[in-house]
Amino acid sequence: MNPTRILSTALTEFRIALRNRWVLIAVLLMMLFSLVLSAAGSAPTGAVGADRLSIVVASLTSLAVYLVPLLGLLLSFDAIAGEAERGTLPLLLTYPVSRAEVLGGKLLAHLCVLSLALLAGYGLAAIVAVWFGNDGLSGVAAVIRLFVTSLLLGVVFLNLGYALSSLSRRSSGAAGLAIGLWVIAVVLYDLALLAMIVADGGDGIVTRILPAALLINPADAFRLYNLTASAATSAASGLGGAANAVPATLSLAALLIWPVAGFLLALMAFRRVNP
């Protein structure tokens, strides 16, 4: 892939994205929820003996598990289907740019948009926590770790959104598939695991394979890594037990593998599109 052509595609997509209402919605959502969690989520600071900023990171981790995949899918669901509906996809594919470079440019542009939203949300929450706390900057490392892993999680769902957009060819269909994927990956998957554990009695095969089942889902791998890497966030979360059962290296490896796998999946789907 040619970096210059990827960057040119990314700049074009980023200028288009800035005119898209999803950018403003993403930034406002992250700022609103992060501010609320920063104000309400730091209540157990004294109970767990952790600094205020680390406790806020635990709350932001729970927020990011739901919101980052949703923002990634909202930014990417019409990336291919929208081009096909508007009739610009045939013109785009006549340019001397490979399909991998087109996807790489779109991914880079959308990742920049997601970065702006995360910087606004996490930055505001961190400023509030440091301003009203008495622990200085002791939790900054946890905030940086959360930001980087949130980007990895966002890349996963951006790529999955491109794959669904290529398979659908229509924006309405791609939107439905994206919402369905979000519900399954973020909501139903964990509920299904919880139901199987309850039915298993807590000491059967389901309980033994639970760590592997959590690593298969990128949203759970993201949550496990951020809980395992920080004692304060683990203490403040109800998933501390599950986090301790999975080494941080495994959950980090899952987070690093998923973006690559997602891009390959999106590229396979995009190559099947006939303009």
Side-chain angles (χ1 to χ4, degrees):
M1 292 194 292
N2 188 309
T4 303
R5 290 198 288 263
I6 293 176
L7 185 59
S8 299
T9 305
L11 289 173
T12 302
E13 290 291 331
F14 186 71
R15 283 194 289 267
I16 295 174
L18 289 181
R19 298 195 294 267
N20 194 314
R21 64 186 182 280
W22 291 122
V23 177
L24 180 61
I25 292 174
V27 172
L28 291 178
L29 279 177
M30 285 303 303
M31 292 180 67
L32 174 63
F33 284 107
S34 297
L35 188 60
V36 171
L37 287 177
S38 179
S42 58
T45 302
V48 300
D51 61 276
R52 186 185 182 102
L53 190 52
S54 294
I55 299 301
V56 169
V57 168
S59 300
L60 291 177
T61 300
S62 299
L63 169 68
V65 167
Y66 293 95
L67 205 51
V68 171
L70 181 61
L71 293 178
L73 291 170
L74 289 176
L75 288 170
S76 61
F77 78 91
D78 70 340
I80 307 301
E83 298 268 10
E85 278 192 334
R86 292 189 294 271
T88 55
L89 185 59
L91 178 62
L92 176 64
L93 296 181
T94 60
Y95 295 156
V97 182
S98 70
R99 298 196 181 203
E101 291 166 344
V102 171
L103 272 185
K106 287 180 179 291
L107 176 61
L108 183 58
H110 291 151
L111 187 59
C112 288
V113 173
L114 188 60
S115 299
L116 291 176
L118 292 177
L119 279 174
Y122 294 170
L124 180 61
I127 290 172
V128 171
V130 171
W131 184 268
F132 291 100
N134 299 314
D135 306 295
L137 302 175
S138 57
V140 169
V143 177
I144 295 174
R145 182 171 53 245
L146 177 65
F147 175 74
V148 174
T149 53
S150 294
L151 290 181
L152 290 174
L153 182 63
V155 170
V156 174
F157 281 90
L158 282 171
N159 283 325
L160 293 178
Y162 299 146
L164 296 177
S165 187
S166 299
L167 294 174
S168 175
R169 302 292 305 276
R170 296 184 66 85
S171 294
S172 57
L177 291 175
I179 295 301
L181 174 64
W182 181 82
V183 171
I184 292 173
V186 178
V187 180
L188 296 183
Y189 189 84
D190 287 347
L191 290 178
L193 286 180
L194 180 61
M196 286 190 291
I197 291 173
V198 172
D200 194 47
D203 56 355
I205 187 172
V206 175
T207 304
R208 290 195 292 273
I209 66 171
L210 178 63
L214 291 173
L215 291 176
I216 291 174
N217 188 336
D220 284 326
F222 162 83
R223 177 159 40 197
L224 285 175
Y225 175 70
N226 282 284
L227 294 179
T228 307
S230 171
T233 54
S234 179
S237 171
L239 286 182
N244 292 330
V246 181
T249 51
L250 288 181
S251 51
L252 179 59
L255 268 179
L256 293 173
I257 290 173
W258 259 107
V260 178
F263 184 82
L264 293 177
L265 183 64
L267 185 58
M268 289 174 57
F270 188 31
R271 282 177 173 167
R272 294 172 60 89
V273 175
N274 293 316

